[in-house]
Amino acid sequence: MNDITPPVLIVGAGMGGLVLAQALKKRGIPFLIFERDQSINSRTQGWGLTLQEFSTPKLLSLLPDTVGANFFSALVDPTHGGNQRTMVFLNMASGELMVELSVPGRKRLDRIKMRQMMLDGDGGVDVQWGKTLVSYTTTERGIKANFADGTEYEGGLLVGLDGVHSVVRAVLFPEHAKPVRVPVHMLGVELELTRELISPLLEVNPVMFLGGSPTGVCVFYAVLSSPKVNGTAALAPEEHRWHVQVNISWLKADGAPSVPESNEARVELLLERMTKVWVPLRNAVEKGMTSKTVVGSVTIADWVIPENPWDNLDGRVTIAGDAAHTMTMFRGEGFNNAVLDLHNLVQALQEIYSTPTDDASKRAKLISEYEEELRERRPRVVLASRQQCLMMHDW
Ligand SMILES: Cc1cc2nc3c(=O)[nH]c(=O)nc-3n(C[C@H](O)[C@H](O)[C@H](O)COP(=O)(O)OP(=O)(O)OC[C@H]3O[C@@H](n4cnc5c(N)ncnc54)[C@H](O)[C@@H]3O)c2cc1C
């Protein structure tokens, strides 16, 4: 690897940024990684995440072997090798099974554990916390990133993995960088359920299910940790606990309630929205909530990149992950597509960093090729997720 080429600057140490950092570390490519948050625990991390069969081998090939080998310790439930097996859609008013699709190889993981593993794994990634990118400028050899605290760092190229409200995207596409709100409200809670409360839900599927209802209320339910994972399996059976997430959503329409600010009002709204939901699930939510339960609100938005090439400053700057394809979570594909991006991008970076001198024309060509594939894939996946989201709410 050449010593004189400046590092890759990764902006954002979310799921995608940490995968890229580990992938570059594995390949000996120099990098610096910057994150706006002060630490990994600054924010709640957003529940579980489905890893799809199409991206899993690529993810494992990106990561160092020691991280990959440990990856599935983040499964929410290791039973059946963590495989979700089927995707179940219910009529959420009656509990009646509407559709059950075979989904071989799909696994549900705890995203907090995944992120921590990528931060600490294989000797760890040295994230520069508390660094908010505000702008970047070109230099003769590459690019300079400017941060809100007045610091600046030079690199060979900059990768924006800074999520839904990406600053890198805003600089690249000043006219239309804003994500588009999809007209759906969503609330979510985490609950600790006893065996009695969860039993009817486990009978539907051991990991997750979702569905719509004639009232227009959609519900997504998923296990975040089974007793085997959270340690309560070692206790008496009545002490076993299942940590789960439940999200409910409904279309923004005339007469439909919007999401209030206070937690108290959100609790009230969540329970009101669930009054006509399948009784075992409603019971689980009502009885699983405590005075400490926090009801979160999720903004549903997406963003499709322009179809024509843009000025990537001769390959000095590019984007990946949610910055490149913000999509609704209804197909569970956002992170999985970030993995596809990074698989392609890392191949390009390996090629760029394989020669002993700076070669700006090679960088420009390879980054443009990476972006060409992104432009081809992104509208399809973003629009399919939006369509799935709207269909779920259209009974
Ligand atoms: C409720 C929910 C469920 C989901 N379920 C799934 C699923 O099952 N499967 C799936 O594949 N995907 C799922 N997703 C989508 C998935 O979470 C995202 O696609 C994935 O996290 C994208 O990773 P990322 O690194 O691009 O962005 P993020 O993980 O959002 O990371 C971006 C990082 O950049 C940092 N940052 C932002 N601005 C700056 C700045 N100016 N300077 C420095 N740092 C900055 C942020 O603090 C953040 O840490 C879900 C999303 C939600 C909300």
Side-chain angles (χ1 to χ4, degrees), residues 189-193 266-268 270-271 284-293 295:
V189 277
E190 292 181 33
L191 309 164
E192 299 289 337
L193 300 183
R266 286 182 185 181
V267 169
E268 204 174 300
L270 179 87
L271 295 174
V285 173
E286 284 174 358
K287 297 193 176 137
M289 282 171 81
T290 69
S291 57
K292 294 201 177 104
T293 301
V295 179

Side-chain angles (χ1 to χ4, degrees), residues 226-244:
S226 67
K228 271 188 198 159
V229 171
N230 60 38
T232 56
L235 306 174
E238 61 274 17
E239 301 294 328
H240 293 184
R241 291 292 178 271
W242 282 259
H243 184 198
V244 306

Side-chain angles (χ1 to χ4, degrees), residues 125-142:
V125 167
D126 186 14
V127 174
Q128 309 222 17
W129 299 101
K131 295 279 181 196
T132 302
L133 182 87
V134 287
S135 64
Y136 49 79
T137 43
T138 57
T139 62
E140 194 187 332
R141 295 178 67 202

Side-chain angles (χ1 to χ4, degrees), residues 14 16 35-36 43 50 111 131 133 162 322 332 334-336:
E35 168 57 47
R36 173 185 63 183
R43 283 178 297 129
T50 298
R111 73 163 72 210
K131 295 279 181 196
L133 182 87
D162 48 346
D322 276 10
F335 175 66
N336 287 276

Side-chain angles (χ1 to χ4, degrees), residues 24-56:
L24 296 185
K25 191 174 163 196
K26 176 177 177 177
R27 289 154 181 85
I29 297 174
F31 69 91
L32 293 170
I33 176 165
F34 307 95
E35 168 57 47
R36 173 185 63 183
D37 289 345
Q38 294 297 332
S39 80
I40 195 158
N41 301 317
S42 293
R43 283 178 297 129
T44 52
Q45 309 277 311
W47 303 301
L49 193 137
T50 298
L51 200 55
Q52 314 256 8
E53 196 179 26
F54 69 77
S55 70
T56 304

Side-chain angles (χ1 to χ4, degrees), residues 7 48 84 98 103 136 148 152 166 201 232 258 274 282 294 307:
Q84 196 180 310
M98 306 290 289
V103 286
Y136 49 79
E152 46 187 44
S166 167
L201 314 185
T232 56
S258 51
M274 296 221 44
R282 189 171 78 223
V294 175
E307 62 187 79

